[in-house]
Amino acid sequence: MGKGGSLSEGVIKNIVLSYTYVAIWIFLSFTVIVYNKYILDKKMYDWPFPISLTMIHMSFCSTLAFLLIKVFNFVEPVSMSRDTYLRSVVPIGALYSLSLWLSNSAYIYLSVSFIQMLKALMPVAVYSIGVLFKKEGFKSETMMNMLSISFGVAIAAYGEARFDVWGVVLQLGAVAFEATRLVMIQILLTSKGITLNPITSLYYVAPCCLAFLFIPWIVVEFP
């Protein structure tokens, strides 16, 4: 704070920069969602291979993270033992692959707006799984808030014109796996003092996720 309680120039720059990052993230996230819908939807491009699409995504992320860390030294890699990788990163990669696979599959059956409504259940799922794994304390007030969110999503689902049971099952499965992944990150990595920034997270998790996706791809989409 400067004179008269006004914000300093440095603080204003940080605020502007933060909001710029958020705006870019929202724009890119929205673009990816709409583009995935365009590729997978039967009435649009009609390329119904969600596992292949997810594998392309993970291949790009793995390659980019490798180049930034190993070739350009843009980010310092986090030291991690083989045992820690197998016990911590591999389960997270498996959950991430299931979450992405089911989430992309849901675009074939549901509208983008309805999928975003169902994603509103993510806080409910994270809190419930956190309580189940004893990482969160049960609070009746919090649970009431979670139930109110669930009730609102149920109303939205009831009024959805393009309601598809299989699509809803896929999206809810994606939410459940993603919520479990977030809780497992806290249990397996944070509790051990391991902190991964976005690039190092891709470096370790994306190749593992790609390997797990290869298994259902061979059975479901390769033929």
Side-chain angles (χ1 to χ4, degrees), residues 150-170:
S150 302
F151 182 69
V153 173
I155 293 175
Y158 181 77
E160 172 62 22
R162 288 185 56 191
F163 184 86
D164 186 281
V165 175
W166 181 236
V168 171
V169 169
L170 289 172

Side-chain angles (χ1 to χ4, degrees), residues 88-188:
S88 301
V89 176
V90 170
I92 292 171
L95 291 168
Y96 193 34
S97 65
L98 289 169
S99 172
L100 290 174
W101 172 19
L102 297 183
S103 180
N104 280 340
S105 298
Y107 286 111
I108 299 176
Y109 305 96
L110 303 176
S111 65
V112 172
S113 58
F114 187 41
I115 288 175
Q116 297 309 306
M117 292 177 192
L118 293 176
K119 285 183 179 181
L121 287 171
M122 184 64 71
V124 180
V126 172
Y127 177 72
S128 301
I129 295 174
V131 171
L132 182 65
F133 284 96
K134 298 181 179 180
K135 297 302 294 183
E136 297 281 351
F138 178 82
K139 297 179 181 179
S140 57
E141 297 87 355
T142 304
M143 182 53 69
M144 288 300 296
N145 291 333
M146 299 295 103
L147 291 175
S148 65
I149 293 174
S150 302
F151 182 69
V153 173
I155 293 175
Y158 181 77
E160 172 62 22
R162 288 185 56 191
F163 184 86
D164 186 281
V165 175
W166 181 236
V168 171
V169 169
L170 289 172
Q171 185 56 47
L172 292 180
V175 169
F177 284 121
E178 179 64 11
T180 306
R181 182 184 75 90
L182 295 175
V183 174
M184 294 301 286
I185 287 176
Q186 185 178 4
I187 296 174
L188 298 177

Side-chain angles (χ1 to χ4, degrees), residues 200-219:
T200 53
S201 178
L202 285 178
Y203 178 75
Y204 287 110
V205 176
C208 182
C209 181
L210 179 61
F212 276 109
L213 287 169
F214 186 76
I215 300 172
W217 180 77
I218 285 290
V219 177

